[in-house]
Amino acid sequence: MLLYIILYNVLTVDADTKCISHEITVVPKYYLIEKCHRSKLGVASKANFSTLNSCRRLALEKKALALNFSPSGYGKIGRKPVEYTCEVLKCAESEGGLSLKNDTNYDYYSIYAKHLPNVNSCCVPLAGMFYLLSEKNNYTEAERRCRNMSSVLAGVFNQHRTDTLAQVLASSGVEAAYVGLGSSNGRVFRTTHGDSLDCITYRAWAPGHPRKNLNMSCVVPLLR
Ligand SMILES: *[C@@H]1O[C@H](CO)[C@@H](O)[C@H](O)[C@H]1NC(C)=O
Ligand SMILES: *[C@@H]1O[C@H](CO)[C@@H](O)[C@H](O)[C@H]1NC(C)=O
Ligand SMILES: *[C@@H]1O[C@H](CO)[C@@H](O)[C@H](O)[C@H]1NC(C)=O
Ligand SMILES: *[C@@H]1O[C@H](CO)[C@@H](O)[C@H](O)[C@H]1NC(C)=O
Ligand SMILES: *[C@@H]1O[C@H](CO)[C@@H](O)[C@H](O)[C@H]1NC(C)=O
């Protein structure tokens, strides 16, 4: 898996050399999405916890994208007790997902605060939900489209994400797509959060890349 810089475009990023995302420790929250619902997506781990916080901690530890939790008091009257009060899930539901069922024993939580749109969504288990937008756009426009879906261009800051994104592209027959790394001058590459690459230890550049002083300033993951 190598990263090639092959597309020309201009991304304007505020000149700031600080490592923003290293200063803010981002901890997913697990938002309540549907009360009295249980997702039947793949379970990464389960446990019998009495508090939602314990279940959230298990979910964090397992890098789960969602969870089902059964608060005490649920399912007591006339129903058999649940086997496990906490189920942490590899994927999150998208809108109209058929695997989200009414279940008075559980509430369904997700790291995504809103229902995910149901277009070409793709779950990379324990990594995230990704969308491949098929229109050809420039980088600025691609960023805007992502914002429109309350998301950002996918970050490629570790091997797992880079490899799985490359597989998503390959299995969709797409040669190249934008990811959340760009440069306004072909020298300093920054993430969507404005971090320079010096803030990220992961590197997967193709030999000779990133090329200096060329009008090429976006990055795409390729399966090679
Ligand atoms: C979990 O707890 C419930 C009620 O507290 C109990 O009925 C159930 O058997 C427990 N499950 C396991 C796997 O121990
Ligand atoms: C599931 O619950 C919703 C309300 O939360 C209700 O509108 C819907 O009819 C229920 N569906 C089934 C299959 O029971
Ligand atoms: C990007 O595309 C949008 C819409 O197609 C266009 O309005 C804009 O000028 C383009 N930006 C650049 C830098 O080419
Ligand atoms: C997203 O784009 C659609 C049209 O493509 C538009 O109707 C909608 O208002 C936009 N939403 C946001 C939050 O910008
Ligand atoms: C880069 O683009 C600018 C203007 O778009 C042009 O003047 C310059 O020659 C280009 N440089 C290279 C190396 O292509």
Side-chain angles (χ1 to χ4, degrees):
M1 206 15 261
L2 301 166
L3 294 179
Y4 284 77
I5 306 169
I6 60 165
L7 294 165
Y8 161 66
N9 226 301
V10 181
L11 167 65
T12 50
V13 188
D14 292 336
D16 184 348
T17 51
K18 280 191 212 146
C19 297
I20 296 155
S21 51
H22 281 225
E23 287 170 8
I24 307 161
T25 314
V26 182
V27 179
K29 262 191 68 130
Y30 300 101
Y31 300 90
L32 175 62
I33 303 297
E34 292 278 8
K35 278 181 111 56
C36 296
H37 278 74
R38 181 189 192 188
S39 168
K40 298 285 193 177
L41 293 171
V43 172
S45 187
K46 48 194 178 178
N48 229 354
F49 290 136
S50 55
T51 67
L52 174 60
N53 268 346
S54 305
C55 189
R56 281 191 170 124
R57 271 196 292 276
L58 176 68
L60 267 181
E61 182 196 315
K62 300 292 177 189
K63 298 186 164 58
L65 302 188
L67 63 87
N68 298 316
F69 181 68
S70 176
S72 63
Y74 267 37
K76 269 197 179 145
I77 308 150
R79 294 184 202 96
K80 60 179 181 155
V82 300
E83 198 184 356
Y84 294 97
T85 57
C86 171
E87 298 174 329
V88 310
L89 310 172
K90 295 176 191 171
C91 291
E93 298 277 352
S94 46
E95 202 162 17
L98 293 175
S99 35
L100 190 60
K101 305 279 191 204
N102 283 6
D103 188 327
T104 48
N105 281 329
Y106 288 94
D107 296 332
Y108 169 73
Y109 292 77
S110 161
I111 60 167
Y112 301 102
K114 295 203 299 191
H115 262 309
L116 297 168
N118 193 18
V119 285
N120 293 329
S121 76
C122 157
C123 175
V124 178
L126 309 179
M129 302 292 290
F130 297 96
Y131 293 87
L132 199 54
L133 301 181
S134 50
E135 310 100 274
K136 287 190 177 159
N137 279 318
N138 60 40
Y139 197 86
T140 321
E141 187 61 18
E143 286 193 304
R144 202 194 60 77
R145 281 294 315 263
C146 287
R147 269 200 308 277
N148 182 295
M149 297 168 64
S150 305
S151 56
V152 291
L153 286 170
V156 283
F157 36 72
N158 64 47
Q159 189 73 46
H160 179 57
R161 284 175 73 104
T162 307
D163 287 351
T164 47
L165 282 178
Q167 277 158 19
V168 169
L169 294 191
S171 62
S172 313
V174 171
E175 258 176 43
Y178 294 117
V179 292
L181 264 183
S183 171
S184 52
N185 57 14
R187 287 187 295 278
V188 180
F189 283 80
R190 293 182 187 279
T191 69
T192 37
H193 300 295
D195 279 351
S196 97
L197 272 193
D198 298 337
C199 300
I200 304 168
T201 50
Y202 172 69
R203 288 286 184 281
W205 300 113
H209 289 259
R211 289 197 193 126
K212 308 275 187 208
N213 302 318
L214 279 178
N215 285 337
M216 294 182 170
S217 49
C218 295
V219 179
V220 291
L222 299 176
L223 202 60
R224 287 281 159 86

